[in-house]
Amino acid sequence: MNALTALIARHKQGEHVGITSVCSAHPWVLEAAMRFARKEKTLLLIEATSNQVDQDGGYTGMTPQDFHDRLLALAAEVDFDPAQLVLGGDHLGPNRWQHLPADEAMRRAEVLVERYVAAGFQKIHLDCSMSCADDPTPLPDETVAARAARLAAVGERCSQARFGQRQTVYVIGTEVPVPGGAHDALDTLAVTRESAAEKTLLAHRQAFEEQGLDDIWPRVIGLVVQPGVEFSHDDIADFQPEKAQMLSRTIESYPHMVFEAHSTDYQHPQAYRALVRGHFAILKVGPALTFALREALYALENIERELLPALSCSNLRGCLEQAMLSDAAAWRKYYHGSETQQHFARHFSYSDRLRYYWPDKQVQAAVDCLLANLNAQPLPLPLLSQYLPDQYRRVRAGQLAADARALALDHITDVLRDYAAACH
C-alpha cells in the first residue's frame, strides 16, 4: 500500500482526510508547496498535465524525467524530504494529438504514459475522452474506456520492467471541466449524474478485464466527476453540497475509490471541507496558485512605485503586457470583447493565462529588478499593510521576514492553507 492508497483507505474508513493536488510548473509555486508540506509534515501531491510535460517537452520544455529531476533538485534546496512527495500525471491520453487519426494519437499517448511511469510518477489520470481527427464526437463510453485500458496496460508493463513491481495508481473519468477554467458563462453548469458515474465505472472495469488487468481495479483510486465547481474569467460557480448528495453516495460502495474534483480553485474555505466530506477527496488546484503569485508581485510593484522614481522601477506589469501582446497564442482564443475587456482579462482573469508568460526573459528580468529594488532597503510597514495586509500581520508577529520574495511565497501559501485546513 503506497501513501496515496493509505490516505484513501483512511478516508473510506470515515476519517475526514483528503489531499490537495498542486497542478503547476511555476518554481515559486512548487517551492511554496514544498515549504508548506515540510512545515505541516504532510504528503505533497504535485501533478504535471499532458500540456505542460510530455515526451517532446510540452509547453514547459520539460519531459517527465526533467520535471521529476527538477522537483528533486528543488526538494534538496529547501530541505524537503522526497519521501513526502508523490508525482502525478494529469489528463494523460491523446489530448495533445487530437488533430491526428486515433491510431497515431494513441501510439503517442502510449509513449507519454510510458515516460511518465518510467520517471517515477505514481498517480496517472487516464483521460481518453477527447475525439481525434477520425473519431465521432462525442466518443462512446466504451471507446473511452478501451483506450484508457490500453494505456493502463502500458503503464503496468513499464512499472514492472522499471521498478520490478506494478505500483502505479490510476484515476479514471471523462467528465472533466475545461482545463484552466471555463470560457463562457457558468449558468448551465451541471453536477455529474449518478447514472453517468456508474456507467463510467462499469465501462472501465469491463475494459480492464478485457485487457487482462483484473488486478488493477483496487489501484483505481479516483473517478473524475463534476461536483458543480468551476470558474470562468470573472465568475465562480460555488460548491452546493445539497446538489451533489446523490453523486456522493455513488462512490460509497467502492472501498478503494474517491472522487477527484478538478477546477476547485477560488472556492470558499468551507466549500473545501464540504467537498472532502462528500468524498471529493482529491482537490486539484492550479490557476489559483499562479493568480496569487501575480497578486503578490503586483502588490510589491505598487510598493516599489511608492518608493522609487519611475525610471528606476521594474515596470513588471508593462513587461508582462508587452510579452502577452508580442505572443498572443496563450490567451487570444480565450479572451474576447473590447480592448479594455481583453486588457483586464490578460492581467486579472481567474483563468490566469498570464501564467504562461512568467518564463519570458524580459519578464524574469523585471521580477529580478523588482526584488532587488525592494530588498535594497527595509520595506515600510505602512505600505506592506496597504498592499499585503495578511503578510503584514505575520511580519508584525515575527512569523515572516519582510523580504520581497518571502512575502510572495507566503501569499501563494495562503491558497494552500485553505486546502490543507479542509484536508486534515
Side-chain angles (χ1 to χ4, degrees), residues 188-204:
T188 59
L189 187 66
V191 174
T192 298
R193 300 186 308 277
E194 308 87 77
S195 59
E198 290 282 11
K199 187 177 180 183
T200 296
L201 289 165
L202 177 61
H204 280 76

Side-chain angles (χ1 to χ4, degrees), residues 294 298 305 317-318 320-322 324-325 331-332 335-349 354:
R294 190 269 312 155
Y298 279 16
R305 287 172 176 168
R317 195 178 306 189
L320 278 162
E321 175 71 357
Q322 183 177 2
M324 286 187 282
L325 292 178
W331 64 267
R332 177 69 73 188
Y335 297 158
H336 308 293
S338 67
E339 285 298 319
T340 299
Q341 290 170 321
Q342 289 181 33
H343 179 272
F344 176 86
R346 283 195 295 272
H347 293 271
F348 302 107
S349 168
L354 181 147

